[in-house]
Structure formats: C-alpha cells, structure tokens
C-alpha cells in the first residue's frame, strides 16, 4: 500500500508548481518558434517538439516529487509509478495516484501563435479526479480545483453563468480531427444554432471548461474528448457548480461531455439528444 493517504490539496500544490514550470517551457519554446512539427491521427492533428518536451518535463518532475505515482500523458501514454514495482498495482491500491496530463491543450493555437493554449494536469485517486490545474501558458491565467473545495481562477472563487435561458446562451464547443466526425459535429451544430445566442470555438477543451466555470461562456459541449482534455477542466467546471455529464445519465467521456449550469443543462441536453450528438463516428 502507499505510505500515506494522498491529500487532494497537497496534490493540487504539486500540480500547480509543476504546471507553472511546464507552462514557462511551452511559452519560451513558442517564443523561439515552432519546431519538431509532426502529425498524429490525421493530417490536421499536430504535435510539436514543445508538446513532447513539456510532457517529459512534467513526468520527470512528478517522478522526482512522487515516484510511486503513475502518469498518463497525451503524447507518451501511461508511465507506471514505482508503486507497481513494489506490487502496488494502481488498480488495486485505493490510495494509488494517477496524474492525467495534456502538455499542450490547443496545439493548433500554439502552432499559429494564438495565445490560447494550456497545460492541463489532474490528480486521480481510485479513478476519481480529486485535484486539477489548467494554466494558459501564453497569458498565465490559471484555474484550480480540489474536489469538494470549489473552483478558482487566480484565487477568485468561480460560480459559472447565471444565465437561465438557452436561447440567450453563448455555447462553446469543439471538433475532432477526423473528417467524418466533423461532418456529424457540423450537423449537430447546425441543429443547435437556432436555439442558442451564439457558438464559440476557441480550440482548447481544457480552457473551454474553465471559461464555462467562470461564466465567460454559458455552457460547453463536445464529442470525442480524451480524458487528458477534460480531467482537470471538468473538475474546475463541476466545482464551480456546473453539471458535467454525458448524455442520458452517462459519465462524461469520449461519446459526449456537456458542462452547463443546472438551469441550462436539461434544455441543452434535450437538444443534444434530439440531434444524436453522441452518435456518429
Ligand atoms: C484538442 C483541443 C480542441 C478540441 C479537440 C482536442 P489538442 O486538443 O482541446 O479544442 O476540440 O477535441 O483534441 O489536440 O490541442 O491537445
């Protein structure tokens, strides 16, 4: 078993320290120009030297500070912690910690020099995210949350939007990198647009969730997210009081994630079900 039960606020302190250093690396590398550009799942899904460098830096820092913990990162996958070597299988030890990292969420923004890309780092204990930080590496804005402890931007408590009418709501969303999925997502969007104030597509899911937590958009939904896109931002949104869920009672995940204040959730959910937003490729 782990030596000491993990304390979520301690995990957040570590996450913030590590994310700040990582954000600095991303910002400095961007200042020097984009290098190591390659594609992943499709020709539009890009990765840069900075995505890899930031992930390596975060994994190394976490190995130093908490060697027993596992780390799941977007670029290199799962790194087991020392606990596995000692016979503590993360799946069995109720106190095992797994860090979930997106080294640069919003890589396309990073590529184009748009100041809207973030480090997202969450700590999960027994399959539940208990602490998370999202830091916009370009601007230094930072959102944090501990499960049960509220959500904050740079120290200010967040409570989401107080909008009560979907027709007057600004709704953020995003699109996957696969062309067939985009066709489906575009159809859903076309069906939703007449029922909302307007749509925003900013290009970084973790930041979308934080903007919804802050009320800078009223709600957010997206199909096709990976856990590193939403682990930290989803906790920030939930702790700001938003409902963060999939459709028809499902957990938020790759089929669908909706984040909306309770007053808007049902209406948005109803439209997304009607439009089969969780369906398609
Ligand atoms: C992407 C961004 C984007 C979202 C995509 C994600 P990446 O992450 O969060 O906003 O629409 O679904 O894959 O590739 O920049 O890390």
């Amino acid at each position: 078993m782990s030596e000491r039960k993990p304390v979520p606020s301690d995990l957040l302190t570590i996450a913030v320290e590590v994310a700040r250093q990582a954000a600095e690396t991303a910002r400095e590398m961007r200042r020097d120009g984009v290098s190591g550009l390659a594609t992943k799942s499709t020709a539009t899904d890009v990765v840069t030297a900075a995505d890899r460098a930031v992930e390596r830096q975060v994994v190394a820092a976490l190995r130093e500070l908490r060697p027993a913990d596992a780390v799941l990162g977007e670029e290199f996958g799962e790194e087991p912690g020392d606990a596995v070597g000692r016979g503590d299988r993360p799946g069995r030890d109720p106190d095992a910690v797994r860090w979930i990292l997106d080294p640069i969420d919003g890589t396309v923004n990073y590529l184009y020099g748009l100041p809207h890309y973030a480090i997202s780092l969450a700590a999960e204990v027994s399959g539940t995210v208990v602490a998370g930080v999202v830091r916009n590496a370009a601007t230094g804005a930072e959102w944090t949350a501990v499960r049960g402890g509220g959500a904050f931007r740079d120290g200010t408590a967040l409570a989401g939007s107080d909008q009560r009418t979907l027709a007057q709501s600004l709704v953020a969303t995003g699109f996957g990198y696969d062309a067939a999925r985009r066709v489906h997502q575009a159809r859903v969007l076309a069906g939703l647009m007449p029922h909302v104030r307007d749509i925003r597509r900013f290009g970084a899911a973790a930041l979308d969730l934080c903007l919804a937590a802050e009320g800078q958009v009223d709600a957010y939904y997206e199909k096709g997210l990976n856990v590193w896109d939403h682990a930290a931002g989803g906790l920030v949104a939930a702790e700001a009081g938003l409902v963060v869920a999939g459709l028809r009672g499902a957990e938020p995940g790759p089929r669908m994630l909706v984040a909306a204040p309770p007053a808007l959730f049902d209406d948005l959910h109803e439209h997304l079900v009607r439009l089969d937003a969780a369906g398609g490729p």
Side-chain angles (χ1 to χ4, degrees):
M1 295 288 282
S2 301
E3 281 137 30
R4 195 164 74 83
K5 205 169 178 53
V7 177
S9 57
D10 293 348
L11 297 175
L12 180 65
T13 302
I14 290 172
V16 167
E17 181 188 327
V18 170
R20 285 182 184 172
Q21 290 163 359
E24 197 48 30
T25 298
R27 207 180 57 80
E28 280 173 11
M29 287 186 79
R30 186 65 187 74
R31 191 193 52 206
D32 297 343
V34 175
S35 63
L37 187 62
T39 58
K40 298 195 289 185
S41 60
T42 71
T44 51
D45 183 6
V46 290
V47 60
T48 70
D51 294 79
R52 298 190 200 93
V54 169
E55 184 155 325
R56 282 198 192 96
Q57 178 180 332
V58 171
V59 171
L62 291 171
R63 298 289 291 159
E64 185 78 27
L65 293 164
R66 292 191 51 97
D69 300 352
V71 185
L72 171 67
E74 175 173 13
E75 308 308 336
F76 301 117
E78 182 116 10
E79 294 256 346
D82 288 354
V84 174
R86 297 202 314 264
D88 273 358
R89 299 256 301 279
R92 297 220 185 124
D93 177 359
D95 296 337
V97 175
R98 180 172 77 149
W99 297 88
I100 303 172
L101 166 70
D102 192 339
I104 299 184
D105 183 40
T107 305
V108 174
N109 288 342
Y110 179 87
L111 179 64
Y112 283 79
L114 295 168
H116 198 76
Y117 53 90
I119 313 296
S120 170
L121 183 59
E124 184 189 71
V125 179
S126 300
T128 300
V129 176
V130 297
V133 58
V134 176
R135 185 175 177 92
N136 182 327
T139 67
E142 186 179 271
W143 294 262
T144 56
V146 164
R147 186 162 294 279
F152 298 86
R153 175 183 170 162
D154 303 323
T156 302
L158 305 177
S161 160
D162 56 12
Q163 178 59 252
R164 306 191 65 80
T165 308
L166 188 64
Q168 284 153 32
S169 292
L170 187 60
V171 178
T173 190
F175 310 112
Y177 293 111
D178 174 71
R181 172 165 295 172
R182 285 179 170 185
V183 169
H184 180 74
Q185 289 174 317
R187 277 197 202 109
V188 172
L189 191 61
L192 184 63
M193 283 212 66
H195 304 282
V196 297
R197 180 192 296 276
D198 208 343
I199 293 289
R200 290 291 180 271
R201 196 296 193 243
F202 294 115
L207 290 172
D208 289 333
L209 284 158
C210 293
L211 294 183
E214 206 174 330
Q216 290 198 305
V217 294
D218 296 303
Y220 164 71
Y221 77 92
E222 186 164 346
K223 174 191 160 84
L225 293 181
N226 290 297
V227 65
W228 46 77
D229 295 313
H230 66 81
L235 181 64
V236 170
E239 286 296 323
L242 278 67
V243 181
V244 181
L247 297 189
R248 302 178 194 272
E251 289 293 309
R255 301 303 295 171
M256 178 53 60
L257 181 148
V258 186
L264 297 175
F265 184 86
D266 287 351
D267 215 0
L268 178 56
H269 176 271
E270 201 176 300
H271 281 290
L272 294 173
V273 168
R274 171 180 65 80
L275 295 163
D276 189 28

